[in-house]
Amino acid sequence: MAEPDLRLPSVNAFSEADVHFMRLALAEARVAGDAGEVPVGAVVVKSNAERGDELLGIGHNAPIALNDPSAHAETLAIRRAAETARNYRLTGCTLYVTLEPCVMCAGLIVLARMERLVFAARDIRFGAVRSKFTLADSELLNHRVVVQEGLLAADAAALLSAFFEARRD
């Protein structure tokens, strides 16, 4: 099996739309942080040649508020997107998320048949897409997701750092 290419894409690898949707995910992350949840936000977008990009689902971390350990930003955004699309398959969709997905979320991204994942900051403790595992684009699975990382990573990392610093004080 070939080693994954872990080099970050250049800034030019991201479109203006990518920046826009990651900013929406960062806004959701702030909502989570303000609610006392780990500040992670996610947005699902369907690319459509005729209608342009269509926002299908948005979410932020809410396991505390919902008493649900699966209520990660990605999970909630994907659930809402599937409801909007009226389909459990989200082909042609991109998930924008402020933190590298965990094992549960990476599995969900593959099961939903997402086309692309764009995440901001790596999660060196639990990241299942690049940091600990490469689940989303593993050759062992029947679906591979295109993975891009690093878009607005400094902004996402700053949100997380400030949140955890405040909790330590």
Side-chain angles (χ1 to χ4, degrees):
M1 180 165 78
E3 288 291 315
D5 183 3
L6 299 179
R7 293 173 293 169
L8 295 177
S10 71
V11 173
N12 296 332
F14 297 108
S15 69
E16 288 181 31
D18 290 334
V19 173
H20 169 74
F21 291 119
M22 186 60 78
R23 288 195 192 289
L24 286 179
L26 283 165
E28 279 298 297
R30 288 184 196 92
V31 170
D34 291 345
E37 304 274 3
V38 176
V40 178
V43 173
V44 176
V45 176
K46 172 88 173 178
S47 296
N48 188 312
E50 292 121 29
R51 294 188 305 247
D53 293 329
E54 182 181 359
L55 179 64
L56 294 184
I58 196 162
H60 60 268
N61 271 3
I64 298 167
L66 298 177
N67 296 308
D68 179 356
S70 72
H72 292 195
E74 303 95 322
T75 303
L76 297 176
I78 289 170
R79 285 177 185 163
R80 290 177 180 133
E83 287 175 16
T84 301
R86 302 185 69 163
N87 194 334
Y88 72 107
R89 297 281 194 230
L90 296 172
T91 57
C93 290
T94 298
L95 174 68
Y96 297 89
V97 62
T98 59
L99 184 65
E100 178 181 5
C102 69
V103 171
M104 175 186 70
C105 293
L108 179 59
I109 292 163
V110 171
L111 290 173
R113 302 296 194 268
M114 302 289 294
E115 180 176 319
R116 184 169 164 243
L117 166 66
V118 178
F119 72 90
R122 281 195 178 192
D123 183 349
I124 59 171
R125 291 182 61 214
F126 300 108
V129 177
R130 289 292 178 260
S131 297
K132 296 292 183 193
F133 306 101
T134 55
L135 291 179
D137 53 359
S138 171
E139 293 179 9
L140 300 173
L141 301 175
N142 66 341
H143 178 74
R144 285 177 209 71
V145 179
V146 174
V147 178
Q148 289 183 281
E149 67 173 290
L151 179 59
L152 303 178
D155 296 345
L159 268 177
L160 289 159
S161 293
F163 176 80
F164 287 113
E165 185 175 310
R167 291 187 55 107
R168 284 189 294 272
D169 290 344

